[in-house]
Amino acid sequence: MGKAVIYVAGNPDSYPVEYYDAREGIYKGMIPRLFQEFSEGWDYDIRYYEPGEEDLREPLARDRQVDIISGCAGEESFRHSPQGEVLVLDTRTGESEISYRILVTDAAPGQLKADLEEFLSGVSGESMAGMLIDCSKERPALYRRRTRLAFGGLGVVILGLAAGAVWLAGRCRKYRRAADKRDETDSLTGIGNREYLSHYYQQFVIRENRALYAMVYFHVDTDRMRRTGTSERTDGFLRHMASVLLNHTGDRDILARVSDQGFVMARMCPGDEELGQWVTSILNRVRSSWGEQGRYVSSGVCRLKDGDWDLDELLLNVSQAAQDACREDLDYKVCTDSWIRQFEEDRKLQEDMKRGVENQEFQLYVQFYTDGATGRIAGGEALARWGHPEKGILLPGSFIPLMERAGLMGQLDLYSLDQACGFLERLHQVGMEDFFMSCNFSLETLKEDDFMDQCREIVDTYRFDRSRLIFQVPQQALREELPVVTGHIRQMKDMGIQVALDDFGEEFAAFAEVEKYMPDVLQLDKRLVDLLGTNAGNAIVRAMVQVGHQLGIAVMAEGAQREEQAGLLRDMGCDMIQGFCFYRPIPAWEAARKLLEQSADAGKGGL
């Protein structure tokens, strides 16, 4: 059987007891010589862990990444219990006594401490003094002319400049570690930050143990928390989240808060099933303590592979997986190979989008609404299609989610509004004043403070009856009761623009929102239309149409796929109906031709 490999975190700056010789790239001094003798006579292979000029003992001790912490003196305890200490040497400088010790960590073989003590008990003081004298002769140039050693009996006395240099070096390292700790600490939660993660990730996650680690990202929707609560409560939640994660952090894990919305843990966990259970347990604990706000947390998980060396790339992938989990209402999402390939394709498409917006590659499409009573075309919904130079015409489902992630929805929304206003002006120029256009706006666009200022600038560029323009406001914007959105709705009405409450009927709370905001139009959610044909569905839709009419509000329905649904909506008195059973979305030029034909048939002239 081969010798047990023991890893040591050495003290690179404690000449001549232990130090790192940069010229030869190895540790030298009395303690390394003792380790060499110990290795030769016992069943251990002693190796220094990542030898270098940087002192890695504190983080390696904290996370039990090595078996021995070496060259410890004075107050350097590295958070280990006295039971793991092995005395190597007692020294005296003036009135001060210094004990050099090695610390055996919890990761070491159980017999190691006893074997070291037995070995050292057989090393005489004269032998240690001889080692120190030999080490002082081979000291590196940095220490020459400032270190002198004197030895007497079994003790070692460090004199003059040597003592001052060692003391000063220790003080400098202590201050440097304190400064590094401040720079690597998140001020809100007290745990490590992005710099902390980078620092210790490079040290602890190595090729030999990489397959045992997973990167786990916890995404916290702080934007939504602050909208629905207060900043103080949100900060309290983040501190609680940090506390929960800290209590579930193992000795070999690395925890950090890397952004306002993200906590990351490099977790050593060999089993995927065990890892999934661990993530779920974290989320359950947070949710049990914080109720509804606990639902604003989701997670992304990425098992590390040999090629995963780029920390920035890892964080990007795992954070996006966490956001996908949030959108899909999942506890967590795993970065599988297929998911990563799709994500890389999506990132390339996002880069194309920025160019596409600038080059006006997005085209106006129109899907008509028909009058519930006459069946004639009464209006249309402004939709966007992307004329990608390589992929052809792309539907919204392939680019809208990506635009939301890239923060480009505002540009697309306003561009579509500009196209819709231009279309209405062309109709106005030929005397067609009875056609309306409805425009969708994302919640993120509506939340912008200058949203209506930008809308007003666009609308004022064109001439048409403002009542022919409808702004669709998603019900979620009203449910969150955002003051900025409420103000925008008032400005829409002041401009003469009609307001439609989109996705009406998602929840019964919608009736309270109707009374509070009194929109001009209710647009029934497609899921309600899908219920038509059942007793419950018919009763619910009929009641909603009646409520709208009693309040003097027009009712529009979207998603009528079958003639049966359209017939039921007409019988219930629905004012406008949209769906594939009538018209599919078509380019603006074709929509103009259709209106021309309808106008000609009615004897009203043409465009």
Side-chain angles (χ1 to χ4, degrees), residues 177-413:
R177 287 196 297 269
D180 290 344
K181 186 175 182 180
R182 288 193 300 270
D183 293 341
E184 295 180 353
T185 300
D186 177 59
S187 59
L188 177 65
T189 63
I191 65 174
N193 58 17
R194 177 64 174 80
E195 288 73 20
Y196 174 92
L197 175 67
S198 179
H199 182 178
Y200 292 109
Y201 177 81
Q202 295 173 10
Q203 293 181 21
F204 299 160
V205 184
I206 58 178
R207 186 179 299 278
E208 288 75 12
N209 65 18
R210 192 169 195 78
L212 299 177
Y213 272 95
M215 192 71 73
V216 185
Y217 190 103
F218 291 91
H219 171 75
V220 183
D221 192 349
T222 54
D223 289 340
R224 187 177 179 189
M225 281 188 177
R226 291 190 171 98
R227 289 199 305 268
T228 58
T230 64
S231 293
E232 291 75 13
R233 181 167 174 79
T234 301
D235 290 346
F237 178 89
L238 294 172
R239 285 190 286 266
H240 174 74
M241 185 77 190
S243 176
V244 170
L245 290 172
L246 195 59
N247 288 334
H248 286 75
T249 301
D251 291 340
R252 298 178 182 270
D253 301 339
I254 309 169
L255 172 65
R257 182 178 178 229
V258 295
S259 70
D260 179 58
Q261 296 187 318
F263 293 86
V264 168
M265 184 182 293
R267 179 166 178 80
M268 182 174 278
C269 187
D272 291 343
E273 183 177 352
E274 178 187 355
L275 181 62
Q277 293 172 351
W278 179 83
V279 172
T280 301
S281 69
I282 294 290
L283 296 174
N284 288 341
R285 179 170 177 181
V286 171
R287 290 164 182 169
S288 65
S289 302
W290 283 76
E292 181 61 27
Q293 281 195 312
R295 301 298 307 177
Y296 298 166
V297 183
S298 55
S299 182
V301 178
C302 182
R303 174 67 68 183
L304 301 191
K305 301 183 291 296
D306 285 342
D308 294 332
W309 294 106
D310 190 330
L311 182 58
D312 290 336
E313 187 75 13
L314 274 172
L315 291 179
L316 178 63
N317 288 345
V318 77
S319 65
Q320 188 57 60
Q323 293 177 57
D324 283 358
C326 179
R327 279 187 290 271
E328 297 172 25
D329 197 26
L330 300 173
D331 281 349
Y332 65 91
K333 198 172 189 69
V334 179
C335 298
T336 61
D337 290 341
S338 59
W339 182 92
I340 291 175
R341 284 194 297 271
Q342 183 61 53
F343 178 48
E344 290 174 349
E345 292 178 9
D346 291 346
R347 286 171 61 188
K348 175 60 170 61
L349 201 59
Q350 281 182 322
E351 295 175 1
D352 293 345
M353 284 176 190
K354 298 175 183 178
R355 181 212 63 232
V357 172
E358 295 173 357
N359 296 344
Q360 298 185 351
E361 295 173 3
F362 291 87
Q363 304 170 14
L364 174 65
Y365 271 57
V366 179
Q367 184 172 14
F368 291 133
Y369 286 93
T370 60
D371 187 288
T374 67
R376 292 175 58 81
I377 296 172
E381 181 178 8
L383 304 171
R385 297 291 185 269
W386 184 8
H388 194 282
E390 298 174 0
K391 300 178 182 292
I393 299 297
L394 299 181
L395 299 178
S398 65
F399 62 83
I400 291 296
L402 301 181
M403 296 197 86
E404 290 174 343
R405 297 176 194 170
L408 296 173
M409 278 306 301
Q411 296 181 50
L412 180 62
D413 286 343

Side-chain angles (χ1 to χ4, degrees), residues 18 64 182 292 351 397 425 551:
E18 185 178 51
R64 273 63 170 179
R182 288 193 300 270
E292 181 61 27
E351 295 175 1
E425 183 180 67
L551 296 174

